[in-house]
Amino acid sequence: MNIFIGENNLKDYVFLKSIIEKWGIERQQEIYFHWYKQLYYQLPKCLKNCDLVFLELDMKHINGFEFAKILRKKDLSIPIVFQTKNTHYGIASYQVQAMHYLLKPLDQQEIYKILDCVLLHQHSKTFIYQFKKEVHKIPYEDIIYIEAYQHHVMIHQNDMTKRNYLSLKEIALQLDDSFCRCHRSYIVNLEYVERIRRNRQNVSLQNNQEIPISKKYQK
């Protein structure tokens, strides 16, 4: 599990890290930490692969709430947990769909509940999007490939195809490493890949569909 922590207080960071490490040992989970003492208006690249974000609200350069607003413009799915001694942002946290709002000193059981929830979600990941005022949910495992077609994006499953108005770039931000973009118009689920033909520059899927690979994404 990749965890991003925005915390400018070393003591508080070490305390939170120790709780998470203890949880990881008990749950037999590998934990990778990305610690930032300061937050900036440009999002770190590591966030794309993070499963959970802890943010201290009272940061010096840019506070955790402002950082969360920037993050939400890029990624709607990653869980955000605020931590602070200040109750001022409690209601505002709903604006960025925060998973939790923790008051310091942090409670181990609260952290455990959050981590358990994220772990459970990882085992049943779902792509969520809105189309024509309706919210649609598709389990990752049901998606074979995603195709940009005219002014829509088509999500191909075994028994149906659904469309939406998101761009492939926006969709890719929600997906995990089991998906790979192989062309400017295609994202494939690696679980459905049968073989890759470099000489023909295409990917053969289990449903006998062949998807092109562009030079940009060949490596």
Side-chain angles (χ1 to χ4, degrees):
M1 185 182 293
N2 286 281
I3 297 180
F4 181 99
I5 299 178
E7 173 61 71
N8 57 5
N9 185 297
L10 175 60
K11 184 178 179 180
D12 289 345
Y13 165 72
V14 171
F15 181 65
L16 173 59
K17 183 173 181 284
S18 66
I19 293 175
I20 297 173
E21 287 175 332
K22 183 179 178 182
W23 174 88
I25 293 171
E26 293 180 9
R27 302 294 192 273
Q28 297 183 329
Q29 295 293 314
E30 287 189 75
I31 310 293
Y32 302 94
F33 294 95
H34 305 272
W35 177 36
Y36 283 76
K37 299 178 184 178
Q38 282 188 304
L39 302 174
Y40 301 94
Y41 289 94
Q42 185 174 359
L43 299 178
K45 292 181 180 179
C46 68
L47 273 170
K48 184 177 180 180
N49 297 316
C50 285
D51 303 294
L52 179 61
V53 173
F54 286 92
L55 293 175
E56 164 60 61
L57 287 169
D58 299 313
M59 301 286 277
K60 293 180 180 179
H61 183 67
I62 171 176
N63 66 44
F65 180 67
E66 293 300 321
F67 185 84
K69 289 198 293 185
I70 298 170
L71 176 58
R72 279 291 175 255
K73 290 180 181 179
K74 299 288 185 179
D75 190 339
L76 295 175
S77 63
I78 187 168
I80 295 175
V81 176
F82 288 131
Q83 54 190 47
T84 181
K85 293 179 181 178
N86 191 341
T87 60
H88 177 69
Y89 289 96
I91 296 177
S93 64
Y94 291 102
Q95 296 177 20
V96 291
Q97 300 172 314
M99 178 184 183
H100 220 302
Y101 189 96
L102 301 176
L103 291 177
K104 295 181 178 179
L106 301 179
D107 179 74
Q108 177 175 304
Q109 292 306 314
E110 286 292 327
I111 302 296
Y112 270 41
K113 288 178 183 179
I114 291 169
L115 294 168
D116 284 338
C117 182
V118 172
L119 182 61
L120 179 64
H121 177 69
Q122 283 185 329
H123 290 295
S124 57
K125 285 194 171 182
T126 304
F127 174 62
I128 302 172
Y129 68 96
Q130 184 172 330
F131 182 70
K132 292 184 177 180
K133 298 183 179 181
E134 293 184 358
V135 175
H136 297 260
K137 297 182 179 182
I138 307 176
Y140 283 3
E141 61 190 29
D142 290 347
I143 300 173
I144 301 175
Y145 69 99
I146 302 170
E147 173 188 11
Y149 180 75
Q150 295 182 350
H151 301 295
H152 297 87
V153 168
M154 314 301 290
I155 302 173
H156 297 275
Q157 301 167 251
N158 277 314
D159 55 350
M160 69 178 70
T161 297
K162 294 182 179 179
R163 63 176 180 167
N164 64 66
Y165 293 118
L166 296 174
S167 67
L168 282 185
K169 183 178 180 180
E170 290 172 318
I171 290 175
L173 288 171
Q174 285 200 47
L175 302 175
D176 62 14
D177 292 339
S178 61
F179 291 86
C180 180
R181 189 163 185 173
C182 60
H183 188 276
R184 70 176 184 176
S185 300
Y186 293 94
I187 295 174
V188 296
N189 186 340
L190 297 176
E191 297 296 325
Y192 287 91
V193 172
E194 286 254 313
R195 61 183 177 274
I196 299 172
R197 296 177 177 177
R198 295 187 66 180
N199 58 332
R200 296 186 184 181
Q201 293 188 323
N202 66 24
V203 173
S204 297
L205 303 179
Q206 291 177 10
N207 64 349
N208 298 319
Q209 180 79 28
E210 293 194 346
I211 305 296
I213 303 174
S214 64
K215 290 183 179 180
K216 180 180 179 180
Y217 298 101
Q218 191 176 69
K219 186 176 179 180

